[in-house]
Amino acid sequence: MVKLDLKSIKSSFKTRKFKYGGYAAMLTASVIAILIVLNLLVGQIPAKLDLTHNRLYSLSKPTIDLLKNLKKDVTIYALFPTGNENPVISEFIQKYAEKSSHVKIKYIDPYKNPGFVKKYQTSETQIDEGSLIVESGNKFRVINRYDMVDYSYNEQTGESNVTGLTIEQKLTPAILYVTSDKSPVLYELKGHGEDTLVRLGISSEIEAANYEIRDLNLLTEKSVPQDATAVIVISPKTDISDIELKKLKDYINSGGRVMFLMDILKDELKNFNSLFESLGVRLEHGIVMEGDNNYNAGNPVWILPKLESHDIVNPIDLNNMYMLIPNAQPIVETKFKKRTITVEKLLTTTSNSWLRKDLTSTSLSKEKGDKSGPFTLAVAITDKADAFNTKLRPRDAKVVIVGNATFLNSQFSKSVPGNLNFVINALNWLQDKKDTLQIQPKDLTTFRLNISTTQAMVWAAITVVGIPIVILVLGLTVWLRRRHL
């Protein structure tokens, strides 16, 4: 039979050992209680921190400014089968709704609602699972799932890899488009073997910049349409007629805006050159080759041009982007031009460049007869409005000329972001627009920590052996001290 010694039990509560043990137990319980309360409080706070190296899940300032000033209701339809939503896209579009009460998100199962998808499908628009539809009032824009990522293609393995996210690049301009009362109209000149924005694979990027693209045939049209924000001419293979030349001149003389992208041809296009000379410049026949290895991409004809100071190229320079211009022909300023005309250089080469006149030569070195640089590859021309006759020309005429169009094909525009940015900046400059939506793709490049074998062994010894030994010694020390209390 066990006999309880109440006196000894009572006295044990007064020992130093019980006293310190009680303090430790109370302290441990308090810390656990505080952690539980903090965890519950943090769980109620909706704020999240984007700790990715390039702020992958954060909206850029132009997008935030647009959402802050949004006045119209916008619905973003995300086409995903129920339960199969893309978490990255869902996370991203949700941020638009968080920034503006005018933005609503709705998930639509495209297989259960084929009629809904058909409502937005056109002969030119393919709507796949995972696509987004942005709608406001009676305007909408479809963003295909494949347009929301950037790809790189490995020619050796034949594999494509996703290198960046372009959701914001497509979604923000789409919201701007559907909420705008009027979109600028860009006319593409046709009828002379020109390239088109569709064939170059950049029509969606131009439309994403809020432009509406239409065809222009100056043989059938009486003049350039009045709703034209600008006209673009991409690599014509034959010359324009005298009638078309007059219509283009009339358009420019009345304050029109035109962008010419001219590839080198075997024969001269006399009417085009006549138009350029009336603007104070001319194209010089030949291919520019860059001898400075810092300004070519391993081949003298693949030029990395110098970006001069101008509203068109300054944003490219500020964002540390570069351009690549292959097979360019130079633009020369004429000695005599109208006093109202100003010619500004945009892209130039170094003094180590030269002009290859003999197009049959395969040499990549400077030869006898080649003309020494530097050369101008692109210019911006302004013809000031006549203050004494505002009816004849109510505004300044603006023209951009580039001695190349190849730089815009998909091989270069997709892999060299500066090329596409140049064209969009130039189109914005032509319409006197300064607040451009310069949104960069979210880079998905994975950064790796490269360490040597020796470094790996040292870190393994520290983490596997060193740190456990330190913890063990500290634990033994505490245990021995408490044992002697």
Side-chain angles (χ1 to χ4, degrees), residues 18-221:
F18 178 82
K19 192 176 177 182
Y20 283 111
Y23 286 155
M26 286 179 61
L27 186 61
T28 304
S30 301
V31 170
I32 292 172
I34 290 170
L35 288 176
I36 291 172
V37 172
L38 282 177
N39 192 43
L40 291 173
L41 289 175
V42 170
Q44 299 301 314
I45 299 173
K48 295 179 181 177
L49 286 177
D50 184 357
L51 299 177
T52 52
H53 76 280
N54 60 349
R55 299 181 64 77
L56 188 64
Y57 297 101
S58 300
L59 300 178
S60 63
K61 188 175 182 302
T63 297
I64 294 173
D65 291 343
L66 173 69
L67 294 173
K68 195 183 296 179
N69 298 316
L70 203 58
K71 305 295 182 190
K72 295 182 178 179
D73 290 337
V74 175
T75 303
I76 300 174
Y77 296 101
L79 305 182
F80 291 103
T82 305
N84 198 28
E85 294 83 4
N86 184 309
V88 175
I89 293 177
S90 298
E91 175 89 10
F92 213 88
I93 60 178
Q94 187 57 38
K95 292 196 176 297
Y96 280 74
E98 292 170 1
K99 292 292 180 185
S100 173
S101 59
H102 287 287
V103 177
K104 307 295 181 192
I105 310 292
K106 290 186 178 178
Y107 287 88
I108 303 292
D109 189 327
Y111 303 112
K112 294 180 179 176
N113 301 276
F116 177 86
V117 177
K118 197 172 181 179
K119 175 184 168 187
Y120 299 95
Q121 200 145 13
T122 65
S123 58
E124 299 175 351
T125 309
Q126 179 65 36
I127 304 179
D128 300 304
E129 171 192 332
S131 300
L132 301 177
I133 298 172
V134 184
E135 185 179 47
S136 179
N138 58 0
K139 295 179 74 176
F140 71 89
R141 175 162 284 175
V142 176
I143 304 174
N144 193 286
R145 58 182 295 188
Y146 301 108
D147 290 335
M148 289 187 272
V149 289
D150 269 344
Y151 296 91
S152 69
Y153 179 73
N154 189 322
E155 293 183 355
Q156 294 181 336
T157 63
E159 294 179 347
S160 296
N161 296 308
V162 176
T163 58
L165 290 177
T166 57
I167 304 173
E168 189 183 3
Q169 270 190 315
K170 299 293 162 47
L171 190 51
T172 299
I175 292 175
L176 181 63
Y177 168 74
V178 298
T179 55
S180 298
D181 294 326
K182 188 178 178 183
S183 296
V185 181
L186 176 64
Y187 279 91
E188 282 187 289
L189 186 66
K190 297 286 180 65
H192 315 88
E194 291 92 343
D195 246 326
T196 66
L197 296 169
V198 172
R199 275 206 297 269
L200 291 170
I202 58 169
S203 59
S204 63
E205 281 79 3
I206 301 299
E207 287 173 342
N210 204 27
Y211 285 92
E212 186 177 333
I213 303 169
R214 295 181 190 169
D215 294 343
L216 173 62
N217 187 333
L218 280 177
L219 283 175
T220 56
E221 294 283 346

Side-chain angles (χ1 to χ4, degrees), residues 208-358:
N210 204 27
Y211 285 92
E212 186 177 333
I213 303 169
R214 295 181 190 169
D215 294 343
L216 173 62
N217 187 333
L218 280 177
L219 283 175
T220 56
E221 294 283 346
K222 290 182 180 177
S223 61
V224 176
Q226 290 187 344
D227 63 347
T229 299
V231 174
I232 187 167
V233 182
I234 308 174
S235 188
K237 305 300 183 296
T238 58
D239 210 350
I240 49 176
S241 64
D242 293 345
I243 296 173
E244 292 169 297
L245 173 63
K246 182 178 183 308
K247 291 175 183 176
L248 267 181
K249 278 187 173 179
D250 288 345
Y251 172 64
I252 294 172
N253 287 334
S254 61
R257 314 293 169 91
V258 187
M259 184 172 186
F260 295 94
L261 307 175
M262 307 297 289
D263 273 330
I264 188 168
L265 299 173
K266 183 180 177 182
D267 299 318
E268 180 188 3
L269 302 179
K270 290 184 178 177
N271 278 341
F272 273 112
N273 275 332
S274 164
L275 176 60
F276 298 154
E277 291 197 13
S278 71
L279 296 168
V281 296
R282 63 180 171 82
L283 288 172
E284 190 165 0
H285 199 259
I287 292 179
V288 179
M289 306 183 84
E290 178 58 75
D292 189 328
N293 290 333
N294 293 318
Y295 289 91
N296 70 41
N299 185 327
V301 297
W302 285 26
I303 300 170
L304 305 174
K306 295 170 72 175
L307 308 179
E308 301 296 328
S309 178
H310 192 276
D311 287 345
I312 294 176
V313 289
N314 288 347
I316 301 172
D317 200 20
L318 285 173
N319 287 296
N320 293 318
M321 290 189 283
Y322 60 88
M323 293 182 63
L324 198 160
I325 309 288
N327 304 322
Q329 55 186 332
I331 300 167
V332 180
E333 193 170 343
T334 56
K335 287 184 180 178
F336 303 103
K337 57 180 179 290
K338 289 196 296 182
R339 60 177 178 76
T340 55
I341 285 180
T342 303
V343 178
E344 297 172 278
K345 296 177 181 177
L346 301 176
L347 307 174
T348 57
T349 62
T350 72
S351 56
N352 289 329
S353 59
W354 64 91
L355 181 64
R356 172 61 45 81
K357 288 280 191 180
D358 180 7

Side-chain angles (χ1 to χ4, degrees), residues 5 22 267 322 414 482:
D5 186 353
D267 299 318
Y322 60 88
K414 299 293 183 185
R482 290 188 173 180

Side-chain angles (χ1 to χ4, degrees), residues 452-466:
S452 64
T453 305
T454 305
Q455 290 172 321
M457 291 177 67
V458 170
W459 283 108
I462 292 173
T463 55
V464 177
V465 180

